Amino acid sequence: MAKPGTFTCTACGAVHNRWSGRCDACGEWNSIIEEAPLSTGPKGKTLGGKRGTPLILTDLSTEEAPPPRTLSGIGELDRVLGGGLVPSSAILVGGDPGIGKSTLLLQAAARFAGAGLKTFYISGEEASAQVRMRAQRLGLGEAPIKLAAATSLRDILTTMESEKPDLVIIDSIQTVWSDTVEAAPGSVSQVRAAAHELTSFAKRFGTSVILVGHVTKDGQIAGPRVVEHMVDCVLYFEGERGHQFRILRSVKNRFGPADEIGVFEMTGAGLAEVANPSALFLSGRGAPTPGSVVFSGIEGTRPLLVEMQALVAPTPHAQPRRAVVGWDGARLAMILAVLEARCGIPFAGLDVYLNVAGGLKISEPAADLAVAAALLSAREDTALPAETVVFGEISLSGALRPVGQTENRLKEAQKLGFTAAITPSGGKTTGDSGLKLTHMGDLTTFVGDIFGAG
């Protein structure tokens, strides 16, 4: 909470010493309000003269059974959660409007309720009849879930304290308001207060709480970033409107690996989990064509094969265009610069388009070599050898650096029928991978051996 005499922006949470019509941090107008201090008292005693209650301390070596996890039966969701739902956990789920957050959580609520958890679904955006209608469309009309339509934090906490549920889903945290905070619902102050109270309730009473969060145009969860620090898990539900695939990505998890992903497919009957996403992402791939390269990546603990597509064409404009979908545009500019400076292959006067097939977003540096191969393949109009996967990191000097989990990448490629792989020299492998491996030490050697250029 802000200090006495300070003002806070309800849009971005920036703190100002005085009121002004426009926030200097985010540029919003009429969004700065004065916040009351958390407590006031004598000088030097911010908590007043009353003493608190002593804390109960235990030894680290105290042997206690870990809390049991509850499996939902949705394998992709359980994977992202780290092996199931942990009691007393607080989970924040964000995603674009209409991406399927409510559908996924309603399906998960039905599964958890079927596993024996007392489950509440509290919606601040829909009436109970609307939620029931969606459940019937998904074939979940008989699920033992308690529904409610409420936005008052006091009413929600009172109901939770009296009913003592095992799992509560709040859809969404931006609609919940506290009558102790003088701000509009969805503001920074309201979201922070509601998230704090719900998270504290989860820790005190052993109830798992799942909060749905809206996202901004930048893709970040709306509201103060402190909410992401409060909760135990932060999940993002991603996907492109034009693709049926949906990616549930973990960016924070106190009970399992971060950066884990779960893959779902949007169908007429809801979201269906995809047990083998590599085969699905490569399902539309036909005969080898110029500009198409298969990359063997790692998402969390899961190896994943995706197709990198590139198109290089002459441009009539003075400034060539660089368009990227599913990858970092700045890293593409770096790869183009290395190809020109170290290999003598210019891309001036050429438009460059790069796409990750299937709507997946790739962030690991191991995709550098696959991107360079796709760009060269498109520029030279030469297809790479069939059934070949490529991965490796490119340094600014043009050297190829080995990447982690090389063996898992090769095993996934072999499982899907690939017979060859192009990798950097020095990668750690144990045993026979079953693939014909081609090791490259630098980008110049790769260009000369594969494309005969440079």
PDB file of all heavy atoms in Angstrom, residues 365-395:
ATOM      1  N   PRO A 365      17.253 -20.214 -27.640  1.00  0.00           N
ATOM      2  CA  PRO A 365      18.288 -19.906 -28.648  1.00  0.00           C
ATOM      3  C   PRO A 365      18.641 -21.102 -29.517  1.00  0.00           C
ATOM      4  O   PRO A 365      19.291 -20.930 -30.547  1.00  0.00           O
ATOM      5  CB  PRO A 365      19.484 -19.462 -27.802  1.00  0.00           C
ATOM      6  CG  PRO A 365      18.926 -19.129 -26.460  1.00  0.00           C
ATOM      7  CD  PRO A 365      17.731 -19.986 -26.273  1.00  0.00           C
ATOM      8  N   ALA A 366      18.233 -22.305 -29.124  1.00  0.00           N
ATOM      9  CA  ALA A 366      18.569 -23.500 -29.903  1.00  0.00           C
ATOM     10  C   ALA A 366      17.950 -23.470 -31.288  1.00  0.00           C
ATOM     11  O   ALA A 366      18.342 -24.249 -32.160  1.00  0.00           O
ATOM     12  CB  ALA A 366      18.115 -24.754 -29.160  1.00  0.00           C
ATOM     13  N   ALA A 367      16.988 -22.585 -31.530  1.00  0.00           N
ATOM     14  CA  ALA A 367      16.347 -22.496 -32.843  1.00  0.00           C
ATOM     15  C   ALA A 367      17.155 -21.674 -33.835  1.00  0.00           C
ATOM     16  O   ALA A 367      16.753 -21.570 -35.002  1.00  0.00           O
ATOM     17  CB  ALA A 367      14.946 -21.896 -32.696  1.00  0.00           C
ATOM     18  N   ASP A 368      18.289 -21.105 -33.418  1.00  0.00           N
ATOM     19  CA  ASP A 368      19.067 -20.236 -34.311  1.00  0.00           C
ATOM     20  C   ASP A 368      19.469 -20.955 -35.596  1.00  0.00           C
ATOM     21  O   ASP A 368      19.291 -20.426 -36.702  1.00  0.00           O
ATOM     22  CB  ASP A 368      20.327 -19.741 -33.593  1.00  0.00           C
ATOM     23  CG  ASP A 368      20.022 -18.735 -32.506  1.00  0.00           C
ATOM     24  OD1 ASP A 368      18.857 -18.313 -32.415  1.00  0.00           O
ATOM     25  OD2 ASP A 368      20.931 -18.390 -31.739  1.00  0.00           O
ATOM     26  N   LEU A 369      20.023 -22.153 -35.468  1.00  0.00           N
ATOM     27  CA  LEU A 369      20.521 -22.860 -36.644  1.00  0.00           C
ATOM     28  C   LEU A 369      19.379 -23.272 -37.571  1.00  0.00           C
ATOM     29  O   LEU A 369      19.528 -23.228 -38.802  1.00  0.00           O
ATOM     30  CB  LEU A 369      21.328 -24.086 -36.214  1.00  0.00           C
ATOM     31  CG  LEU A 369      22.078 -24.834 -37.313  1.00  0.00           C
ATOM     32  CD1 LEU A 369      23.026 -23.889 -38.044  1.00  0.00           C
ATOM     33  CD2 LEU A 369      22.843 -26.018 -36.747  1.00  0.00           C
ATOM     34  N   ALA A 370      18.253 -23.649 -36.997  1.00  0.00           N
ATOM     35  CA  ALA A 370      17.097 -24.009 -37.830  1.00  0.00           C
ATOM     36  C   ALA A 370      16.585 -22.796 -38.593  1.00  0.00           C
ATOM     37  O   ALA A 370      16.208 -22.900 -39.768  1.00  0.00           O
ATOM     38  CB  ALA A 370      15.990 -24.602 -36.957  1.00  0.00           C
ATOM     39  N   VAL A 371      16.579 -21.629 -37.952  1.00  0.00           N
ATOM     40  CA  VAL A 371      16.149 -20.407 -38.634  1.00  0.00           C
ATOM     41  C   VAL A 371      17.125 -20.056 -39.751  1.00  0.00           C
ATOM     42  O   VAL A 371      16.714 -19.717 -40.873  1.00  0.00           O
ATOM     43  CB  VAL A 371      16.022 -19.253 -37.624  1.00  0.00           C
ATOM     44  CG1 VAL A 371      15.814 -17.926 -38.340  1.00  0.00           C
ATOM     45  CG2 VAL A 371      14.885 -19.515 -36.666  1.00  0.00           C
ATOM     46  N   ALA A 372      18.432 -20.138 -39.472  1.00  0.00           N
ATOM     47  CA  ALA A 372      19.429 -19.843 -40.510  1.00  0.00           C
ATOM     48  C   ALA A 372      19.299 -20.812 -41.682  1.00  0.00           C
ATOM     49  O   ALA A 372      19.400 -20.414 -42.846  1.00  0.00           O
ATOM     50  CB  ALA A 372      20.832 -19.914 -39.910  1.00  0.00           C
ATOM     51  N   ALA A 373      19.042 -22.092 -41.379  1.00  0.00           N
ATOM     52  CA  ALA A 373      18.871 -23.071 -42.442  1.00  0.00           C
ATOM     53  C   ALA A 373      17.636 -22.773 -43.280  1.00  0.00           C
ATOM     54  O   ALA A 373      17.656 -22.900 -44.512  1.00  0.00           O
ATOM     55  CB  ALA A 373      18.786 -24.479 -41.839  1.00  0.00           C
ATOM     56  N   ALA A 374      16.542 -22.365 -42.632  1.00  0.00           N
ATOM     57  CA  ALA A 374      15.324 -22.031 -43.374  1.00  0.00           C
ATOM     58  C   ALA A 374      15.534 -20.803 -44.256  1.00  0.00           C
ATOM     59  O   ALA A 374      15.076 -20.763 -45.410  1.00  0.00           O
ATOM     60  CB  ALA A 374      14.177 -21.803 -42.389  1.00  0.00           C
ATOM     61  N   LEU A 375      16.243 -19.804 -43.746  1.00  0.00           N
ATOM     62  CA  LEU A 375      16.505 -18.600 -44.529  1.00  0.00           C
ATOM     63  C   LEU A 375      17.377 -18.906 -45.743  1.00  0.00           C
ATOM     64  O   LEU A 375      17.102 -18.458 -46.863  1.00  0.00           O
ATOM     65  CB  LEU A 375      17.183 -17.544 -43.656  1.00  0.00           C
ATOM     66  CG  LEU A 375      16.349 -16.963 -42.508  1.00  0.00           C
ATOM     67  CD1 LEU A 375      17.214 -16.079 -41.621  1.00  0.00           C
ATOM     68  CD2 LEU A 375      15.161 -16.177 -43.041  1.00  0.00           C
ATOM     69  N   LEU A 376      18.434 -19.697 -45.530  1.00  0.00           N
ATOM     70  CA  LEU A 376      19.318 -20.042 -46.654  1.00  0.00           C
ATOM     71  C   LEU A 376      18.608 -20.933 -47.655  1.00  0.00           C
ATOM     72  O   LEU A 376      18.800 -20.800 -48.868  1.00  0.00           O
ATOM     73  CB  LEU A 376      20.569 -20.740 -46.113  1.00  0.00           C
ATOM     74  CG  LEU A 376      21.512 -19.859 -45.285  1.00  0.00           C
ATOM     75  CD1 LEU A 376      22.566 -20.706 -44.603  1.00  0.00           C
ATOM     76  CD2 LEU A 376      22.165 -18.804 -46.174  1.00  0.00           C
ATOM     77  N   SER A 377      17.782 -21.849 -47.158  1.00  0.00           N
ATOM     78  CA  SER A 377      17.034 -22.726 -48.052  1.00  0.00           C
ATOM     79  C   SER A 377      16.082 -21.931 -48.934  1.00  0.00           C
ATOM     80  O   SER A 377      15.963 -22.184 -50.145  1.00  0.00           O
ATOM     81  CB  SER A 377      16.257 -23.762 -47.233  1.00  0.00           C
ATOM     82  OG  SER A 377      15.420 -24.536 -48.053  1.00  0.00           O
ATOM     83  N   ALA A 378      15.420 -20.931 -48.343  1.00  0.00           N
ATOM     84  CA  ALA A 378      14.510 -20.106 -49.131  1.00  0.00           C
ATOM     85  C   ALA A 378      15.268 -19.207 -50.100  1.00  0.00           C
ATOM     86  O   ALA A 378      14.843 -18.988 -51.236  1.00  0.00           O
ATOM     87  CB  ALA A 378      13.636 -19.264 -48.193  1.00  0.00           C
ATOM     88  N   ARG A 379      16.414 -18.673 -49.665  1.00  0.00           N
ATOM     89  CA  ARG A 379      17.176 -17.757 -50.526  1.00  0.00           C
ATOM     90  C   ARG A 379      17.790 -18.491 -51.706  1.00  0.00           C
ATOM     91  O   ARG A 379      17.786 -17.994 -52.833  1.00  0.00           O
ATOM     92  CB  ARG A 379      18.275 -17.081 -49.701  1.00  0.00           C
ATOM     93  CG  ARG A 379      19.053 -16.013 -50.448  1.00  0.00           C
ATOM     94  CD  ARG A 379      20.155 -15.446 -49.562  1.00  0.00           C
ATOM     95  NE  ARG A 379      20.844 -14.338 -50.211  1.00  0.00           N
ATOM     96  CZ  ARG A 379      21.816 -14.463 -51.106  1.00  0.00           C
ATOM     97  NH1 ARG A 379      22.205 -15.678 -51.474  1.00  0.00           N
ATOM     98  NH2 ARG A 379      22.397 -13.396 -51.633  1.00  0.00           N
ATOM     99  N   GLU A 380      18.313 -19.703 -51.454  1.00  0.00           N
ATOM    100  CA  GLU A 380      18.972 -20.467 -52.512  1.00  0.00           C
ATOM    101  C   GLU A 380      17.996 -21.349 -53.286  1.00  0.00           C
ATOM    102  O   GLU A 380      18.404 -22.032 -54.231  1.00  0.00           O
ATOM    103  CB  GLU A 380      20.086 -21.337 -51.903  1.00  0.00           C
ATOM    104  CG  GLU A 380      21.144 -20.575 -51.144  1.00  0.00           C
ATOM    105  CD  GLU A 380      21.926 -19.632 -52.030  1.00  0.00           C
ATOM    106  OE1 GLU A 380      22.116 -19.960 -53.224  1.00  0.00           O
ATOM    107  OE2 GLU A 380      22.335 -18.555 -51.547  1.00  0.00           O
ATOM    108  N   ASP A 381      16.722 -21.361 -52.835  1.00  0.00           N
ATOM    109  CA  ASP A 381      15.694 -22.200 -53.465  1.00  0.00           C
ATOM    110  C   ASP A 381      16.129 -23.669 -53.484  1.00  0.00           C
ATOM    111  O   ASP A 381      15.984 -24.379 -54.482  1.00  0.00           O
ATOM    112  CB  ASP A 381      15.401 -21.721 -54.885  1.00  0.00           C
ATOM    113  CG  ASP A 381      14.065 -22.262 -55.401  1.00  0.00           C
ATOM    114  OD1 ASP A 381      13.208 -22.605 -54.560  1.00  0.00           O
ATOM    115  OD2 ASP A 381      13.893 -22.365 -56.626  1.00  0.00           O
ATOM    116  N   THR A 382      16.674 -24.114 -52.356  1.00  0.00           N
ATOM    117  CA  THR A 382      17.157 -25.487 -52.216  1.00  0.00           C
ATOM    118  C   THR A 382      16.573 -26.084 -50.947  1.00  0.00           C
ATOM    119  O   THR A 382      16.726 -25.515 -49.856  1.00  0.00           O
ATOM    120  CB  THR A 382      18.693 -25.523 -52.143  1.00  0.00           C
ATOM    121  OG1 THR A 382      19.225 -24.898 -53.304  1.00  0.00           O
ATOM    122  CG2 THR A 382      19.203 -26.948 -52.042  1.00  0.00           C
ATOM    123  N   ALA A 383      15.933 -27.230 -51.063  1.00  0.00           N
ATOM    124  CA  ALA A 383      15.342 -27.890 -49.898  1.00  0.00           C
ATOM    125  C   ALA A 383      16.395 -28.693 -49.157  1.00  0.00           C
ATOM    126  O   ALA A 383      17.316 -29.257 -49.770  1.00  0.00           O
ATOM    127  CB  ALA A 383      14.193 -28.797 -50.328  1.00  0.00           C
ATOM    128  N   LEU A 384      16.282 -28.738 -47.855  1.00  0.00           N
ATOM    129  CA  LEU A 384      17.167 -29.570 -47.054  1.00  0.00           C
ATOM    130  C   LEU A 384      16.858 -31.042 -47.292  1.00  0.00           C
ATOM    131  O   LEU A 384      15.758 -31.385 -47.740  1.00  0.00           O
ATOM    132  CB  LEU A 384      17.010 -29.240 -45.573  1.00  0.00           C
ATOM    133  CG  LEU A 384      18.119 -28.371 -44.969  1.00  0.00           C
ATOM    134  CD1 LEU A 384      18.014 -26.964 -45.535  1.00  0.00           C
ATOM    135  CD2 LEU A 384      18.036 -28.354 -43.457  1.00  0.00           C
ATOM    136  N   PRO A 385      17.801 -31.932 -47.003  1.00  0.00           N
ATOM    137  CA  PRO A 385      17.524 -33.360 -47.157  1.00  0.00           C
ATOM    138  C   PRO A 385      16.286 -33.781 -46.369  1.00  0.00           C
ATOM    139  O   PRO A 385      16.011 -33.261 -45.282  1.00  0.00           O
ATOM    140  CB  PRO A 385      18.787 -34.021 -46.593  1.00  0.00           C
ATOM    141  CG  PRO A 385      19.851 -32.990 -46.756  1.00  0.00           C
ATOM    142  CD  PRO A 385      19.178 -31.669 -46.583  1.00  0.00           C
ATOM    143  N   ALA A 386      15.536 -34.721 -46.919  1.00  0.00           N
ATOM    144  CA  ALA A 386      14.296 -35.159 -46.281  1.00  0.00           C
ATOM    145  C   ALA A 386      14.583 -35.834 -44.956  1.00  0.00           C
ATOM    146  O   ALA A 386      15.652 -36.424 -44.740  1.00  0.00           O
ATOM    147  CB  ALA A 386      13.542 -36.115 -47.213  1.00  0.00           C
ATOM    148  N   GLU A 387      13.619 -35.758 -44.050  1.00  0.00           N
ATOM    149  CA  GLU A 387      13.676 -36.415 -42.737  1.00  0.00           C
ATOM    150  C   GLU A 387      14.906 -35.990 -41.943  1.00  0.00           C
ATOM    151  O   GLU A 387      15.611 -36.810 -41.348  1.00  0.00           O
ATOM    152  CB  GLU A 387      13.654 -37.945 -42.891  1.00  0.00           C
ATOM    153  CG  GLU A 387      12.527 -38.462 -43.762  1.00  0.00           C
ATOM    154  CD  GLU A 387      11.153 -38.023 -43.278  1.00  0.00           C
ATOM    155  OE1 GLU A 387      10.999 -37.768 -42.081  1.00  0.00           O
ATOM    156  OE2 GLU A 387      10.241 -37.913 -44.115  1.00  0.00           O
ATOM    157  N   THR A 388      15.184 -34.680 -41.930  1.00  0.00           N
ATOM    158  CA  THR A 388      16.327 -34.142 -41.198  1.00  0.00           C
ATOM    159  C   THR A 388      15.849 -33.080 -40.227  1.00  0.00           C
ATOM    160  O   THR A 388      15.039 -32.222 -40.592  1.00  0.00           O
ATOM    161  CB  THR A 388      17.356 -33.527 -42.161  1.00  0.00           C
ATOM    162  OG1 THR A 388      17.808 -34.534 -43.081  1.00  0.00           O
ATOM    163  CG2 THR A 388      18.563 -32.977 -41.399  1.00  0.00           C
ATOM    164  N   VAL A 389      16.346 -33.140 -38.996  1.00  0.00           N
ATOM    165  CA  VAL A 389      16.047 -32.118 -38.001  1.00  0.00           C
ATOM    166  C   VAL A 389      17.305 -31.288 -37.760  1.00  0.00           C
ATOM    167  O   VAL A 389      18.429 -31.775 -37.941  1.00  0.00           O
ATOM    168  CB  VAL A 389      15.553 -32.729 -36.672  1.00  0.00           C
ATOM    169  CG1 VAL A 389      14.244 -33.451 -36.861  1.00  0.00           C
ATOM    170  CG2 VAL A 389      16.594 -33.658 -36.074  1.00  0.00           C
ATOM    171  N   VAL A 390      17.116 -30.043 -37.353  1.00  0.00           N
ATOM    172  CA  VAL A 390      18.224 -29.108 -37.174  1.00  0.00           C
ATOM    173  C   VAL A 390      18.026 -28.371 -35.861  1.00  0.00           C
ATOM    174  O   VAL A 390      16.911 -27.941 -35.538  1.00  0.00           O
ATOM    175  CB  VAL A 390      18.299 -28.094 -38.338  1.00  0.00           C
ATOM    176  CG1 VAL A 390      19.473 -27.147 -38.150  1.00  0.00           C
ATOM    177  CG2 VAL A 390      18.391 -28.803 -39.676  1.00  0.00           C
ATOM    178  N   PHE A 391      19.090 -28.220 -35.084  1.00  0.00           N
ATOM    179  CA  PHE A 391      19.043 -27.373 -33.887  1.00  0.00           C
ATOM    180  C   PHE A 391      20.457 -26.971 -33.508  1.00  0.00           C
ATOM    181  O   PHE A 391      21.426 -27.685 -33.806  1.00  0.00           O
ATOM    182  CB  PHE A 391      18.347 -28.076 -32.706  1.00  0.00           C
ATOM    183  CG  PHE A 391      18.975 -29.381 -32.287  1.00  0.00           C
ATOM    184  CD1 PHE A 391      19.998 -29.427 -31.359  1.00  0.00           C
ATOM    185  CD2 PHE A 391      18.521 -30.573 -32.832  1.00  0.00           C
ATOM    186  CE1 PHE A 391      20.565 -30.626 -30.976  1.00  0.00           C
ATOM    187  CE2 PHE A 391      19.077 -31.785 -32.448  1.00  0.00           C
ATOM    188  CZ  PHE A 391      20.102 -31.815 -31.523  1.00  0.00           C
ATOM    189  N   GLY A 392      20.584 -25.810 -32.866  1.00  0.00           N
ATOM    190  CA  GLY A 392      21.874 -25.304 -32.427  1.00  0.00           C
ATOM    191  C   GLY A 392      21.816 -23.803 -32.241  1.00  0.00           C
ATOM    192  O   GLY A 392      20.973 -23.118 -32.840  1.00  0.00           O
ATOM    193  N   GLU A 393      22.708 -23.282 -31.417  1.00  0.00           N
ATOM    194  CA  GLU A 393      22.767 -21.845 -31.138  1.00  0.00           C
ATOM    195  C   GLU A 393      23.907 -21.221 -31.926  1.00  0.00           C
ATOM    196  O   GLU A 393      24.991 -21.812 -32.045  1.00  0.00           O
ATOM    197  CB  GLU A 393      22.974 -21.597 -29.642  1.00  0.00           C
ATOM    198  CG  GLU A 393      23.008 -20.125 -29.270  1.00  0.00           C
ATOM    199  CD  GLU A 393      23.253 -19.892 -27.781  1.00  0.00           C
ATOM    200  OE1 GLU A 393      23.303 -20.893 -27.042  1.00  0.00           O
ATOM    201  OE2 GLU A 393      23.402 -18.725 -27.382  1.00  0.00           O
ATOM    202  N   ILE A 394      23.666 -20.034 -32.461  1.00  0.00           N
ATOM    203  CA  ILE A 394      24.660 -19.317 -33.258  1.00  0.00           C
ATOM    204  C   ILE A 394      25.183 -18.136 -32.450  1.00  0.00           C
ATOM    205  O   ILE A 394      24.401 -17.326 -31.936  1.00  0.00           O
ATOM    206  CB  ILE A 394      24.058 -18.828 -34.587  1.00  0.00           C
ATOM    207  CG1 ILE A 394      23.584 -20.012 -35.425  1.00  0.00           C
ATOM    208  CG2 ILE A 394      25.069 -18.006 -35.364  1.00  0.00           C
ATOM    209  CD1 ILE A 394      22.902 -19.601 -36.714  1.00  0.00           C
ATOM    210  N   SER A 395      26.497 -18.030 -32.337  1.00  0.00           N
ATOM    211  CA  SER A 395      27.104 -16.887 -31.653  1.00  0.00           C
ATOM    212  C   SER A 395      27.379 -15.784 -32.657  1.00  0.00           C
ATOM    213  O   SER A 395      27.314 -15.984 -33.874  1.00  0.00           O
ATOM    214  CB  SER A 395      28.403 -17.313 -30.954  1.00  0.00           C
ATOM    215  OG  SER A 395      29.375 -17.664 -31.923  1.00  0.00           O
TER     216      SER A 395
END
